[in-house]
Amino acid sequence: MPIKVMNDLPAKEILENENIFVMDENRSMHQDIRPLQIGVLNLMPIKQDTELQLLRALSNTPLQVDITFVNMKSHVSQNTAASHINKFYTTFDEIKDKKFDGFIITGAPIEQFEFEDVDYWKELTEIFDWTKKNVTSTLHICWGAQAGLYYHFGVKKIWLDKKVSGVYEHKVLNRKIPLVRGFDDIFLAPHSRHTGVDMEKIRQCDELQVLATSDEVGDLLVSKKDGTQVFVLGHLEYDRLTLDAEYKRDTNKGLNPDIPVNYYTNDDTTIRPYLTWRATSNCMYSNWLNYYVYQATPYDLL
């Protein structure tokens, strides 16, 4: 599928070198079709890494996707150059009068704060409310999923005894739900988090359904039954070396982290880890774009 991005977004060249079809603005203007309008609220500190991960994940259907990257006006990023944000990002104020086919809200490394103590929580709740009327389907990732479940459904997060980090087995609970069509019965997915969610509260909510879970680390995929809100409590978008970078970063900080579970061969951190979740990630993002966005969105967004 062609992903439409700004002509000089740094991720564009990397994706093209990986044989991923990326369409620039000039070419898209000459195509007589309406691309899907997908917004990405990128809450991660190093925004370029997340841009690349999500563009890879969204690149595996024949649908054309027009990406709009959004950042928080009420928070100044300390780890991404202001020039990059000013050039490639827009604020919520600039898009709040528009409608989107799909919207993605990423995770953020702020789990150890209560939701209300996050400096951009008020702005984020405005975005949560806006998505309910202006977006066909919203996909929430990790902390973004925890925050969305808390705000929309009152599902509280739970503090874990130690960080969950690694690649874990999950099982599909209902193969007939479109989001998990094509999944294996048992599949692998990465997690990297200090908190979980109240799974019992999720199961008590009539509006929610659990699509995939793990005996080791809990629920991974949860959705509102009408498909308008999807919650991914792990990181299917992660690249091969994302957990490796996190582990080595924390090691260098003297945090003495546990070796990520089921990630390095024989727990040897010098061996390049296998990528064991990419097919599942491609399947989930393709299913979301097709069944929850493309098949459900009106042709005329206005």
Side-chain angles (χ1 to χ4, degrees), residues 65-229:
V65 176
D66 187 346
I67 301 292
T68 299
F69 288 110
V70 183
N71 69 299
M72 306 301 287
K73 182 179 179 180
S74 53
H75 177 79
V76 177
S77 177
Q78 302 295 323
N79 297 279
T80 299
S83 59
H84 182 89
I85 293 174
N86 293 336
K87 187 170 187 177
F88 299 114
Y89 280 73
T90 186
T91 64
F92 175 59
D93 284 345
E94 296 172 295
I95 65 163
K96 64 183 180 182
D97 294 328
K98 299 180 181 179
K99 292 185 181 295
F100 285 80
D101 301 297
F103 202 79
I104 297 174
I105 299 175
T106 74
I110 50 176
E111 295 172 273
Q112 294 172 319
F113 291 95
E114 296 294 345
F115 293 118
E116 291 85 357
D117 293 337
V118 174
D119 61 0
Y120 52 76
W121 180 249
K122 183 177 183 298
E123 184 180 4
L124 183 58
T125 60
E126 293 173 0
I127 295 173
F128 282 150
D129 287 333
W130 169 84
T131 62
K132 291 191 289 186
K133 295 182 179 179
N134 295 280
V135 178
T136 301
S137 182
T138 303
L139 180 70
H140 310 69
I141 300 172
C142 202
W143 182 86
Q146 293 183 357
L149 286 168
Y150 173 71
Y151 182 74
H152 292 300
F153 303 102
V155 177
K156 295 182 179 180
K157 67 180 176 182
I158 296 172
W159 300 88
L160 303 177
D161 294 334
K162 63 178 181 177
K163 182 180 181 180
V164 167
S165 176
V167 182
Y168 299 86
E169 281 193 352
H170 301 75
K171 56 187 175 184
V172 173
L173 298 184
N174 187 342
R175 301 188 59 82
K176 295 182 179 180
I177 302 299
L179 190 69
V180 292
R181 284 179 183 166
F183 275 43
D184 293 326
D185 290 337
I186 302 294
F187 64 92
L188 297 173
H191 287 259
S192 178
R193 50 186 171 81
H194 295 273
T195 56
V197 294
D198 186 342
M199 294 189 294
E200 186 61 31
K201 181 74 172 180
I202 291 174
R203 284 155 178 77
Q204 291 172 355
C205 180
D206 291 337
E207 293 182 87
L208 296 174
Q209 57 188 347
V210 180
L211 308 181
T213 193
S214 166
D215 292 337
E216 295 176 275
V217 294
D219 296 337
L220 173 69
L221 300 177
V222 178
S223 76
K224 194 175 177 185
K225 290 179 180 177
D226 64 5
T228 57
Q229 294 171 336

